[in-house]
Amino acid sequence: TSNFCCRKQTVPCCCKRIHSDAKLKDPFTLAQKDLNHLYDDIKKELFVSKSELKSLCDYYFDGKGKAFRPMIVVLMARACNIHSNRDGDLLPGQRSIAMISEMIHTASLVHDDVIDGSDKRRGKTTINEVWGERKAILAGDFILSAASMALARIGNNTVVSVLSQVIEDLVRGEFMQLGSKENESERFKHYLEKSFKKTASLIANSCKAVSILVNSDPEVQEIAFQYGRNVGIAFQLVDDVLDFTACASQLGKPSATDLKLGLATGPVLFACQQFPELHAMIMRRFSTTGDVDRAWQYVLESDGVDQTNYLAQSYCREAIRQISLLRPSPERDALIRLTEMVLTRDK
Amino acid sequence: TSNFCCRKQTVPCCCKRIHSDAKLKDPFTLAQKDLNHLYDDIKKELFVSKSELKSLCDYYFDGKGKAFRPMIVVLMARACNIHSNRDGDLLPGQRSIAMISEMIHTASLVHDDVIDGSDKRRGKTTINEVWGERKAILAGDFILSAASMALARIGNNTVVSVLSQVIEDLVRGEFMQLGSKENESERFKHYLEKSFKKTASLIANSCKAVSILVNSDPEVQEIAFQYGRNVGIAFQLVDDVLDFTACASQLGKPSATDLKLGLATGPVLFACQQFPELHAMIMRRFSTTGDVDRAWQYVLESDGVDQTNYLAQSYCREAIRQISLLRPSPERDALIRLTEMVLTRDK
């Protein structure tokens, strides 16, 4: 099975060449020096004295997150710096963007959990479940406002615009998710657009922002953006697969969450091409008793999971093509390696 | 009753001199030319194509609001411009700040209504009541992100910091309102601090922001801020009085709303000095059956309403003292006149 990924799905691996290239550094190891104290710095940024608000803010910035977004951001920053004939060392604004990306991400999770009525996140009880919806709404607003202030202090207006766009995209993506009675032909386009807005925009625009601080060349900025966009969409596609394949304890949330929320993601949309019976269930958002279980069965019997994985791989190939346009550096290569980790993660 | 305000309360008027000065222009008339198309411009800023999100955003920006905050902002901008030896005409960034102040205000109302579970606002059914809580949370986030993007486009980092502070203050103020078991001696200080954060910070910092764009002198910026701070706190104090004195149809929301929400505002806190029986009710947030009616009666029998009005007047006097430090202009004088309107409004 050497040309298959280690995932349970029997999908030929698009990144075999990378798999075998032991020289590529582990992204987490390479980013570690820049990410030390990230959560401490975020807490300083939130700047709350002992108060209930502080407890809420500290709750998710507990340093136990993977810091996936900040990791991409610092690697991209170093790769762009080296590409631009500098040493790799982060500019202060680039480190801030790593923090801000995590803050925006966390704020959106807090509001998403209120909106979805979720009681668990990463195996932890959600803020809305512990402190109630009202305080969760406020905590999300507060983290966002702290992110905006940190953003302002970077002192680059283009960077402010680029990252404000992310917040708009997050809202529009969530809104697209709430209403989805569009017709069958537009459904897939709608799904990919939603995936960009809800997940990839933050990664793409954070990558673009760090490139802006070191390089005024629009082509370099576009490479950074496109790498983030493609990795981000692949990340979401794999997330949607894991909702069907990962056991609850691994993902830290119950499986088939999306179906239960009425959402038709990649695996269901592909499955619907084989099993048109799914169409009616998608349209009623799996609201009839038994829909969730029936849809789940159709997905597992179909190629939906494999096809979604294939699609994620094609996004990763494009991400690799883009980032390969930068001058070689350990960080650039770690970003290539990262695409493999996005595809093979199992939680 | 010539030395009493036209309000029902028999409170000596602090601004008699101003009352009789017919030369002072009506602030709304004077600001009108700058506020034409304000709501159209805000809608352009929100930049939403035909969608449900657009309906939500348009709902409160219907042009029927008083645009109280934008009015203060444009008058302050012109007063500062003239003080700084320019013609009064607004700089583009100053007009943007007028818009942004209304956008931040509206976004916070949308989230406040979700948090309070309110079904009416200014006589209109609230967004959470029409579209549900989830979409209301998103609409608030969306308006806030549009405000942040407009702010970034002004291109002045100090202005971005000053107005981001407002969003933080709004959240902290709302948080202070949710938990309030502090001891009796700190209660009044807590109430005034909350009033600053929830209401005055937006006005004060918007005034400061327009002054920053035209004048680098910190003293001028401080005058603008202090005028806004004092008028803002007075505005909130009068609002808290109206919750006891205005009939529901006038205010567009049911009276004694604050008591029903468990909140002890100025009139109750003053009344508690005369009627210590109120203390226990305040501590349990008027949660026992009959508390709201009993507290209401105590307030009406006490001097609580008059004393809150007195306090509002003293804040307005300080606002007048501050703004009078600017060079004379019709707009400066309209800001003086405005303090009277804040005190005498009956809805």
Side-chain angles (χ1 to χ4, degrees):
Chain A
T1 62
S2 65
N3 66 334
F4 288 94
C5 270
C6 41
R7 302 281 303 284
K8 286 142 212 147
Q9 292 74 44
T10 52
V11 176
C13 184
C14 68
C15 35
K16 198 179 136 202
R17 198 175 47 78
I18 305 160
H19 265 234
S20 57
D21 191 345
K23 279 182 301 186
L24 294 184
K25 289 271 178 59
D26 172 61
F28 282 94
T29 311
L30 200 58
Q32 195 49 53
K33 62 182 173 303
D34 291 325
L35 297 181
N36 278 337
H37 312 299
L38 183 91
Y39 289 101
D40 290 336
D41 291 346
I42 288 176
K43 286 186 203 174
K44 275 181 211 149
E45 202 61 56
L46 291 168
F47 194 68
V48 270
S49 53
K50 284 201 190 311
S51 70
E52 195 177 18
L53 190 54
K54 178 170 163 55
S55 322
L56 268 84
C57 290
D58 287 354
Y59 191 69
Y60 279 145
F61 297 117
D62 56 1
K64 290 179 187 152
K66 291 187 305 290
F68 178 72
R69 288 154 190 81
M71 178 188 61
I72 295 183
V73 169
V74 299
L75 292 175
M76 179 61 80
R78 284 182 174 268
C80 287
N81 293 354
I82 291 166
H83 180 82
S84 312
N85 297 315
R86 303 175 60 111
D87 63 22
D89 286 354
L90 293 192
L91 304 170
Q94 292 175 326
R95 179 78 176 7
S96 296
I97 291 166
M99 285 171 47
I100 291 164
S101 70
E102 189 72 358
M103 292 167 81
I104 293 176
H105 172 60
T106 304
S108 82
L109 295 186
V110 173
H111 278 188
D112 281 2
D113 285 342
V114 176
I115 288 166
D116 295 342
S118 309
D119 57 355
K120 291 274 181 209
R121 158 86 57 190
R122 291 194 229 138
K124 256 179 116 157
T125 310
T126 55
I127 287 188
N128 42 303
E129 191 67 14
V130 181
W131 283 277
E133 288 197 351
R134 309 191 305 172
K135 288 178 182 170
I137 296 171
L138 291 172
D141 289 349
F142 183 75
I143 296 168
L144 262 189
S145 75
S148 296
M149 285 194 283
L151 195 47
R153 274 198 301 280
I154 295 174
N156 181 303
N157 295 307
T158 315
V159 167
V160 179
S161 292
V162 163
L163 287 175
S164 297
Q165 180 66 47
V166 171
I167 305 171
E168 177 179 327
D169 284 341
L170 285 167
V171 175
R172 285 187 188 271
E174 187 69 26
F175 228 87
M176 289 175 79
Q177 185 161 302
L178 284 179
S180 64
K181 295 257 166 174
E182 75 285 358
N183 65 52
E184 221 172 329
S185 66
E186 285 181 346
R187 203 184 270 153
F188 214 89
K189 186 167 152 272
H190 187 269
Y191 165 66
L192 288 175
E193 192 185 335
K194 187 197 77 180
S195 300
F196 170 73
K197 288 189 193 299
K198 281 209 65 177
T199 307
S201 172
L202 174 56
I203 302 173
N205 283 301
S206 301
C207 285
K208 183 176 176 180
V210 291
S211 77
I212 288 170
L213 287 182
V214 69
N215 198 309
S216 58
D217 180 354
E219 279 183 44
V220 173
Q221 296 170 14
E222 183 66 11
I223 290 168
F225 179 88
Q226 288 300 340
Y227 173 83
R229 188 180 81 88
N230 282 282
V231 162
I233 294 177
F235 184 90
Q236 185 58 53
L237 290 166
V238 171
D239 215 51
D240 294 342
V241 164
L242 289 171
D243 197 48
F244 284 94
T245 60
C247 80
S249 60
Q250 257 183 311
L251 198 64
K253 61 175 179 176
S255 285
T257 310
D258 292 332
L259 287 180
K260 289 173 191 161
L261 287 169
L263 306 178
T265 60
V268 182
L269 296 178
F270 279 119
C272 187
Q273 293 171 359
Q274 280 175 272
F275 300 105
E277 299 90 323
L278 274 165
H279 177 67
M281 290 188 241
I282 293 172
M283 291 309 282
R284 62 176 181 252
R285 298 177 74 96
F286 315 106
S287 57
T288 303
T289 312
D291 274 359
V292 168
D293 288 339
R294 261 194 305 273
W296 172 286
Q297 280 307 318
Y298 278 122
V299 169
L300 295 190
E301 283 167 35
S302 76
D303 299 330
V305 160
D306 283 354
Q307 284 185 277
T308 309
N309 277 324
Y310 274 121
L311 187 61
Q313 287 163 13
S314 74
Y315 277 101
C316 281
R317 270 195 301 274
E318 176 61 14
I320 293 171
R321 194 184 71 79
Q322 292 282 347
I323 197 73
S324 300
L325 298 170
L326 294 187
R327 173 180 302 189
S329 66
E331 286 80 8
R332 185 200 74 163
D333 294 344
L335 287 171
I336 293 175
R337 173 103 191 268
L338 184 78
T339 62
E340 175 204 329
M341 296 168 66
V342 164
L343 293 174
T344 56
R345 74 193 175 100
D346 59 3
K347 60 174 186 171
Chain B
T1 63
S2 65
N3 65 336
F4 288 94
C5 271
C6 39
R7 302 281 302 286
K8 286 144 213 147
Q9 293 75 44
T10 52
V11 177
C13 183
C14 67
C15 36
K16 199 180 136 201
R17 198 175 47 76
I18 305 160
H19 265 235
S20 58
D21 191 345
K23 279 181 303 185
L24 293 184
K25 290 271 181 57
D26 172 60
F28 282 94
T29 311
L30 199 58
Q32 195 49 53
K33 62 182 174 302
D34 290 325
L35 297 181
N36 278 337
H37 312 298
L38 182 90
Y39 288 101
D40 291 335
D41 291 346
I42 288 176
K43 286 185 202 173
K44 275 181 212 152
E45 202 62 55
L46 290 168
F47 193 71
V48 270
S49 53
K50 284 200 190 313
S51 70
E52 194 177 18
L53 190 54
K54 179 172 163 55
S55 321
L56 268 83
C57 290
D58 286 355
Y59 191 68
Y60 279 145
F61 297 117
D62 56 3
K64 290 177 187 155
K66 291 188 306 289
F68 178 73
R69 288 154 191 82
M71 178 187 63
I72 294 183
V73 169
V74 299
L75 292 174
M76 180 61 80
R78 285 182 173 268
C80 287
N81 293 355
I82 291 166
H83 180 82
S84 311
N85 297 315
R86 304 173 60 110
D87 64 22
D89 287 353
L90 293 191
L91 304 170
Q94 293 175 326
R95 178 76 175 12
S96 296
I97 291 166
M99 285 170 48
I100 291 163
S101 70
E102 189 71 359
M103 292 166 80
I104 293 176
H105 172 60
T106 304
S108 82
L109 295 186
V110 173
H111 279 189
D112 281 1
D113 285 341
V114 177
I115 289 165
D116 295 342
S118 310
D119 56 356
K120 290 276 181 206
R121 158 85 59 189
R122 293 195 228 136
K124 257 178 116 158
T125 310
T126 55
I127 287 188
N128 43 303
E129 191 68 14
V130 180
W131 283 277
E133 288 197 351
R134 309 191 305 170
K135 288 179 181 169
I137 296 171
L138 290 172
D141 289 349
F142 183 75
I143 296 168
L144 218 46
S145 75
S148 295
M149 286 195 281
L151 195 47
R153 274 199 301 280
I154 295 174
N156 182 302
N157 296 308
T158 316
V159 167
V160 178
S161 292
V162 163
L163 286 175
S164 296
Q165 180 65 48
V166 170
I167 305 172
E168 177 179 329
D169 285 341
L170 285 167
V171 175
R172 284 188 189 269
E174 187 69 25
F175 228 89
M176 289 175 78
Q177 185 162 302
L178 284 179
S180 64
K181 296 256 169 174
E182 75 285 358
N183 66 52
E184 220 173 332
S185 66
E186 285 181 345
R187 203 185 271 152
F188 214 90
K189 185 167 152 272
H190 187 269
Y191 165 66
L192 288 175
E193 192 185 336
K194 187 197 76 180
S195 300
F196 170 73
K197 288 190 193 297
K198 282 209 64 175
T199 307
S201 171
L202 173 56
I203 302 173
N205 283 300
S206 300
C207 285
K208 183 175 177 181
V210 291
S211 78
I212 287 169
L213 288 182
V214 68
N215 199 309
S216 59
D217 180 354
E219 278 184 44
V220 173
Q221 297 171 12
E222 183 66 11
I223 289 168
F225 179 87
Q226 288 300 340
Y227 174 83
R229 188 180 81 89
N230 282 282
V231 162
I233 294 176
F235 184 90
Q236 185 58 52
L237 290 167
V238 171
D239 216 51
D240 294 342
V241 163
L242 289 171
D243 197 49
F244 284 94
T245 60
C247 79
S249 61
Q250 258 183 311
L251 198 64
K253 59 175 179 176
S255 284
T257 310
D258 292 332
L259 287 180
K260 289 173 191 161
L261 287 169
L263 306 177
T265 60
V268 182
L269 296 178
F270 278 119
C272 186
Q273 293 171 359
Q274 279 174 273
F275 300 105
E277 298 90 324
L278 275 165
H279 177 68
M281 291 187 240
I282 293 171
M283 291 309 282
R284 62 178 181 250
R285 298 178 73 99
F286 315 107
S287 57
T288 303
T289 312
D291 274 359
V292 168
D293 288 339
R294 261 194 305 273
W296 172 286
Q297 280 307 317
Y298 278 123
V299 169
L300 296 190
E301 282 167 37
S302 76
D303 299 329
V305 161
D306 284 354
Q307 284 185 278
T308 309
N309 276 325
Y310 274 121
L311 187 60
Q313 287 163 13
S314 75
Y315 278 101
C316 280
R317 270 195 301 274
E318 176 61 13
I320 293 171
R321 193 184 72 78
Q322 292 282 346
I323 196 73
S324 301
L325 298 170
L326 292 188
R327 175 180 300 189
S329 67
E331 286 80 7
R332 184 201 75 164
D333 295 344
L335 286 170
I336 293 175
R337 173 103 191 266
L338 184 79
T339 62
E340 175 204 329
M341 295 168 65
V342 164
L343 292 173
T344 57
R345 75 192 174 101
D346 58 4
K347 60 173 186 171

